[in-house]
């Protein structure tokens, strides 16, 4: 909507203008010229001061005579369309004067733009008219001029509403100068055209202003002498300046008092990019020189502090690259009430409060990634990326580029834009390196450097990228044995193994098997929209006696198979479950009656490890891939069960 404000000095003109505007709009509709919508607001204001006291929020102003002249002279910030007294309007007034007063001396009072040249026109018509020019559009000035004209012997006053009012009070004849319908129509037509340009200019200005003020970078405009012309909010905040615009027009060297910035401004060159010290921090400052016809007219500075640059990188990584790199699970998702799993959760929760590297040990299927995600979500890095990679699942020739990224065109088939590596994507978050024992030795040395220096370099690039990443590694092999065999770097082992977490296998979690099985059955039944399946006590005992070499993964697969193939039974008895187990796939071997009880077999395994380590429990625990405390706890439990 383009808003037009018309300032009318008297009521009759207001009514006339509103009628003409309505006719103008109707004409636009008839000609189907309605691409723009217009609104006319007519305000009564006999003087400029009264006009300025009103709400002049508009795209264009229409004003008459002295008011239009005053607004233009004062540099009013909106375009002004003058509602003129046309030649036709002037002639009508002069003929009216001749008809009623003949050669009676008359004074025409108005601004220069209204009555300039009136004497010549009056002579041609045969009337005696003298122009009296107003220096300003105020009540005092109009009264002074009317009094002077009367003192000069003028018997008729030709003027605006206030001039005619003063003449009437003095008992002097008067004729009102007014604009006719044709003049009003022309003024509104011109205002519509000018209003479109004004509106578009205002919109563009607001958009540019919003863009500048909301820019992440600080922006400073300088004239050719280095004086500050403008500064956006970001620059004001980055430079920590006092509130207000007190700095406008001042030399930047006096405002910032930074010799390095002053030196940068004096340097020749169209584009200069430097890192400078400022107020106990570092700023990235860029200077762009602005030319007009090969003449320097000023400069634009952009400023960012180091913290903002790091924050920007983090947001870009988070919004562009981190999609999908999130941790879904927390410790609440870990099902189990047995002492070994509760102790494991307790330790993991304690580890989450640190930033130290962690190695998670455990057999395949025990939930190492579940624990790593839970640690991430319980740490101060939650909300940041969680990036997981299985080092054994990616070919050796691709693993390096996946971990560290590459520059554009670094090798045949590489994207020309390059690609960030997983370490880069995990900035401020956690990277989970599953099956770390399978990482090639060459890459182990690069990983060691990343841990030591906290920076990476993409393949084919010479730029060092600082990173802040917590590393959680996992292995189902005994890394200490891998070190002794020369398959894993000893220095990397000690860098990673700051904190270690041993996840107990399912066979050591008495009672948890039933809890897990029922949770999995509920999940699969819900997903298949079938009634829940319950395990009878005898079926629970049977499941608890299984060894579950595949641990939780194997149990989960079995429960899914039971839900799909178990028929319509709602309660599974031991006999039915036993038959079902015996028909299972290779994921779950049929449970034959062992020659020795499971407890005895497990105890023999632990005692064999102790014997091989010559009674050294630390060495035996390492050989078994468990901690010394876990070894002691398992020995005590097994001895108790046998007694």
């Amino acid at each position: 909507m383009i808003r037009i404000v018309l300032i009318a000095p008297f009521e009759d003109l207001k009514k006339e203008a509103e009628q003409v505007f309505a006719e103008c709009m109707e004409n636009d509709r008839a000609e189907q010229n309605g691409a723009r919508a217009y609104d006319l607001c007519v305000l009564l204001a006999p003087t400029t001061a009264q006009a300025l006291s009103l709400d002049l929020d508009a795209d264009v102003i229409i004003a008459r005579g002295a008011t239009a002249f005053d607004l233009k002279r004062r540099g009013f910030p909106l375009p002004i369309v003058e509602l003129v007294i046309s030649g036709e309007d002037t002639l009508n007034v002069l003929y009216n004067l001749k008809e009623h007063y003949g050669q009676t001396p008359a004074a025409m009072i108005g601004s220069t733009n209204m009555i300039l040249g009136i004497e010549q026109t009056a002579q041609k018509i045969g009337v005696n008219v003298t122009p009296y020019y107003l220096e300003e559009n105020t009540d005092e000035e109009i009264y002074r001029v009317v009094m002077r004209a009367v003192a000069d012997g003028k018997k008729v006053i030709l003027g605006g509403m206030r001039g005619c009012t003063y003449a009437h009070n003095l008992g002097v004849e008067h004729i009102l100068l007014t604009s006719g319908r044709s003049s009003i129509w022309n003024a509104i037509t011109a205002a519509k055209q000018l209003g479109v340009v004004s509106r578009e200019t205002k919109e563009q200005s607001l958009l540019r202003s919003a863009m500048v003020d909301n820019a992440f970078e600080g922006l400073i405009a300088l004239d050719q002498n280095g004086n500050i012309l403008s500064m956006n909010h970001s620059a004001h905040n980055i430079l920590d300046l006092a509130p207000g615009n007190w700095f406008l027009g001042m030399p930047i060297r006096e405002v910032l008092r930074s010799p390095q910035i002053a030196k940068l401004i004096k340097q020749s060159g169209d584009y200069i990019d430097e890192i400078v010290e400022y107020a106990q921090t570092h700023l990235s400052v860029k200077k762009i020189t602005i030319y007009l016809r090969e003449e320097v007219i000023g400069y634009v500075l952009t400023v960012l502090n180091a913290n903002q640059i790091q924050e920007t990188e983090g947001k870009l990584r988070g919004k562009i690259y981190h999609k999908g790199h999130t941790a879904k699970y927390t410790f609440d998702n870990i099902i189990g009430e047995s002492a070994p799993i509760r102790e494991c959760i307790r330790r993991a929760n304690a580890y989450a409060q640190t930033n130290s590297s962690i190695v998670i040990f455990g057999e395949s299927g025990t939930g190492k990634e579940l624990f790593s995600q839970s640690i991430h979500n319980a740490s101060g890095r939650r909300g940041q990326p969680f990036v997981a990679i299985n080092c054994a699942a990616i070919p050796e020739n691709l693993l390096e580029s996946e971990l560290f990224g590459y520059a554009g065109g670094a090798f045949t088939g590489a994207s020309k834009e390059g690609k960030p590596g997983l370490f880069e994507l995990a900035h401020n978050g956690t990277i989970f390196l599953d099956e770390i024992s399978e990482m090639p030795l060459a890459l182990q040395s690069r990983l060691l450097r990343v841990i030591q220096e906290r920076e990476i370099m993409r393949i084919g690039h010479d730029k060092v990228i600082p990173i802040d990443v917590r590393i959680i590694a996992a292995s189902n092999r005994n890394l200490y044995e891998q070190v002794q065999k020369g398959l894993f770097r000893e220095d990397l082992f000690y860098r990673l193994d700051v904190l270690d977490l041993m996840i107990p296998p399912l066979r050591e979690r008495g009672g948890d098997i039933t809890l897990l099985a029922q949770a999995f059955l509920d999940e699969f039944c819900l997903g298949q929209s079938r009634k829940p399946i319950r395990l009878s006590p005898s079926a629970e005992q049977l499941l608890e006696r299984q060894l579950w070499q595949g641990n939780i993964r194997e149990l989960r697969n079995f429960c899914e198979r039971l839900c799909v193939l178990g028929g319509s039974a709602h309660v599974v008895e031991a006999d039915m479950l036993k038959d079902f187990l015996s028909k299972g796939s290779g994921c779950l071997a049929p449970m034959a009656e062992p020659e020795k009880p499971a407890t005895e077999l497990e105890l023999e395994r632990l005692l064999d490890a102790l014997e091989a380590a010559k009674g050294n429990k630390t060495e035996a625990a390492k050989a078994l891939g468990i901690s010394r405390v876990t070894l002691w706890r398992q020995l005590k439990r097994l001895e108790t069960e046998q007694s």
Side-chain angles (χ1 to χ4, degrees):
M1 179 76 73
I2 294 173
R3 180 178 169 86
I4 302 170
V5 168
L6 189 152
I7 302 171
F10 49 87
E11 182 67 32
D12 287 347
L13 180 59
K14 177 179 184 295
K15 294 178 180 178
E16 188 78 23
E18 289 172 342
Q19 291 176 1
V20 172
F21 178 75
E23 293 173 10
C24 190
M25 292 298 98
E26 184 61 34
N27 184 69
D28 280 354
R29 283 189 288 272
E31 296 180 359
Q32 296 183 343
N33 185 24
R36 288 278 189 171
Y38 298 90
D39 174 57
L40 176 69
C41 177
V42 183
L43 303 176
L44 281 174
T47 67
T48 304
Q50 287 174 305
L52 290 173
S53 69
L54 301 174
D55 179 13
L56 298 181
D57 179 20
D59 297 303
V60 60
I61 302 289
I62 300 176
R64 204 178 80 127
T67 300
F69 181 77
D70 277 353
L71 291 175
K72 290 179 180 178
R73 184 179 61 179
R74 296 181 185 209
F76 194 73
L78 293 176
I80 307 295
V81 172
E82 183 181 353
L83 175 56
V84 300
I85 297 178
S86 67
E88 181 183 353
D89 298 332
T90 303
L91 288 174
N92 288 337
V93 170
L94 294 179
Y95 280 121
N96 190 8
L97 174 67
K98 184 177 182 179
E99 179 182 351
H100 291 88
Y101 301 102
Q103 289 288 326
T104 303
M108 183 173 282
I109 297 173
S111 58
T112 305
N113 57 324
M114 288 177 63
I115 62 176
L116 184 64
I118 192 65
E119 291 171 291
Q120 291 83 356
T121 305
Q123 288 175 2
K124 291 178 182 179
I125 294 176
V127 290
N128 182 8
V129 176
T130 302
Y132 284 78
Y133 299 109
L134 295 171
E135 294 182 5
E136 56 183 346
N137 185 27
T138 63
D139 285 331
E140 294 79 7
E141 174 68 1
I142 295 170
Y143 183 75
R144 183 185 68 79
V145 172
V146 170
M147 291 294 292
R148 183 159 63 87
V150 172
D152 290 344
K154 308 304 178 184
K155 303 302 183 182
V156 182
I157 300 296
L158 311 178
M161 178 60 72
R162 285 167 300 151
C164 291
T165 300
Y166 292 139
H168 174 78
N169 294 338
L170 293 170
V172 178
E173 298 295 328
H174 51 84
I175 298 176
L176 180 65
L177 290 174
T178 187
S179 300
R181 293 177 63 84
S182 175
S183 298
I184 296 172
W185 182 285
N186 291 337
I188 289 174
T189 301
K192 286 165 60 182
Q193 296 171 349
L194 193 57
V196 171
V197 177
S198 172
R199 176 69 180 222
E200 290 177 350
T201 302
K202 188 182 296 183
E203 288 174 355
Q204 292 172 7
S205 176
L206 285 172
L207 288 172
R208 283 195 295 268
S209 177
M211 178 178 65
V212 169
D213 281 337
N214 290 283
F216 187 70
E217 291 181 314
L219 300 173
I220 306 171
L222 308 174
D223 65 16
Q224 64 271 31
N225 299 316
N227 300 317
I228 299 175
L229 299 177
S230 63
M231 182 184 299
N232 72 348
H233 296 320
S234 293
H236 203 285
N237 294 334
I238 292 168
L239 299 170
D240 195 25
L241 299 179
N245 294 324
W246 54 271
F247 47 77
L248 294 180
M250 294 178 61
I252 191 170
R253 64 178 181 276
E254 295 181 9
V255 175
L256 302 186
R257 300 190 180 279
S258 167
Q260 286 183 295
I261 294 178
K263 181 181 177 182
L264 181 145
I265 293 170
K266 291 180 180 179
Q267 290 179 20
S268 60
D270 296 343
Y271 180 87
I272 298 174
D273 185 356
E274 297 284 352
I275 301 295
V276 303
E277 292 183 7
Y278 177 81
Q280 299 181 337
T281 187
H282 287 84
L283 299 179
S284 169
V285 182
K286 299 180 178 67
K287 184 190 81 170
I288 302 169
T289 305
I290 310 299
Y291 294 91
L292 177 61
R293 300 189 194 95
E294 300 183 357
E295 178 184 352
V296 176
I297 62 169
Y299 310 93
V300 172
L301 299 185
T302 67
V303 294
L304 272 177
N305 63 33
N307 292 335
Q308 282 181 302
I309 294 171
Q310 290 180 348
E311 183 181 345
T312 302
E313 288 181 352
K315 286 182 178 179
L316 283 173
R317 285 165 170 162
K319 292 183 178 180
I320 298 176
Y321 300 124
H322 289 159
K323 188 176 181 180
H325 294 305
T326 57
K328 299 183 293 183
Y329 300 112
T330 67
F331 289 119
D332 291 337
N333 297 115
I334 300 175
I335 300 170
E337 297 298 335
S338 63
I341 199 65
R342 300 318 301 174
E343 171 63 16
C344 191
I345 292 173
R346 188 197 66 77
R347 292 185 64 186
N349 221 329
Y351 291 171
Q353 312 314 312
T354 73
N355 278 314
S356 303
S357 298
I358 302 173
V359 178
I360 301 177
F361 296 101
E363 297 176 9
S364 178
T366 51
K368 294 185 286 295
E369 183 166 354
L370 176 62
F371 267 87
S372 67
Q373 291 192 24
S374 301
I375 291 170
H376 173 81
N377 279 330
S379 73
R381 297 175 183 264
R382 59 185 159 303
Q384 297 296 331
F386 176 86
V387 180
I389 182 172
N390 189 313
C391 299
I394 299 176
E396 181 178 342
N397 59 334
L398 296 180
L399 184 58
E400 183 176 16
S401 63
E402 284 295 315
L403 287 173
F404 306 112
Y406 58 82
F411 49 83
T412 303
S415 168
K416 63 181 180 180
E417 291 85 13
K419 179 184 175 182
L422 295 180
F423 270 98
E424 208 173 327
L425 303 186
H427 182 62
N428 287 331
T430 302
I431 189 167
F432 175 58
L433 303 175
D434 198 8
E435 298 196 53
I436 186 73
S437 60
E438 308 306 312
M439 179 178 287
L441 285 169
L443 282 187
Q444 291 179 27
S445 61
R446 283 204 66 176
L447 177 59
L448 177 64
R449 179 171 178 80
V450 170
I451 298 172
Q452 290 174 333
E453 305 299 331
R454 295 293 170 180
E455 60 188 26
I456 59 104
M457 186 183 296
R458 292 186 184 183
I459 298 172
H461 207 292
D462 57 358
K463 178 185 176 183
V464 171
I465 302 173
I467 58 167
D468 176 14
V469 176
R470 182 187 198 166
I471 297 175
I472 300 179
S475 176
N476 56 8
R477 294 178 183 269
N478 187 314
L479 288 184
Y480 185 75
E481 286 184 357
Q482 296 292 98
V483 169
Q484 292 177 324
K485 294 175 182 178
L487 300 177
F488 200 83
R489 291 183 62 107
E490 185 176 13
D491 46 6
L492 177 59
F493 171 74
Y494 288 115
R495 277 285 183 179
L496 289 173
D497 194 27
V498 178
L499 303 172
D500 61 71
L501 185 69
M502 173 60 66
I503 302 180
L506 193 53
R507 60 183 173 275
E508 295 179 7
R509 295 170 53 181
D512 287 350
I513 294 174
T514 302
L515 290 174
L516 287 163
Q518 193 59 65
F520 293 149
L521 288 172
D522 291 344
E523 176 189 343
F524 294 130
C525 287
L526 181 64
Q528 296 173 27
S529 300
R530 62 164 294 174
K531 292 184 178 180
I533 296 176
R534 292 288 176 261
L535 298 170
S536 69
S538 60
E540 290 178 353
Q541 292 176 9
L542 182 60
L543 287 182
E544 290 284 351
R545 289 201 303 268
Q546 304 301 305
L547 288 178
W548 302 109
Q549 298 296 339
N551 291 295
I552 297 172
R553 186 180 296 118
E554 182 184 4
L555 177 61
R556 181 183 176 85
N557 292 343
F558 164 73
C559 291
E560 183 174 5
R561 191 165 60 253
L562 176 62
C563 187
V564 173
L565 303 176
S568 59
H570 302 316
V571 177
V572 178
E573 299 291 345
D575 291 342
M576 178 183 172
L577 188 63
K578 200 168 187 179
D579 292 340
F580 191 83
L581 287 170
S582 67
K583 297 175 183 177
S585 68
C587 295
L588 181 63
M591 183 60 190
E593 194 69 26
E595 295 180 3
K596 295 181 180 180
T599 300
E600 187 176 339
L601 290 173
E602 184 65 14
L603 181 59
E604 284 185 6
R605 186 174 71 89
L606 300 181
L607 293 175
D608 287 344
L610 278 170
E611 184 178 351
K614 298 180 180 179
N616 188 319
K617 290 184 179 180
T618 301
E619 293 298 323
K622 287 182 178 179
L624 291 166
I626 60 177
S627 68
R628 191 175 187 279
V629 173
T630 300
L631 174 61
W632 175 83
R633 187 172 59 248
Q634 291 180 11
L635 284 169
K636 288 294 184 184
R637 177 177 60 81
L638 293 171
E639 288 171 358
T640 301
E641 290 177 1
Q642 280 203 323
S643 61

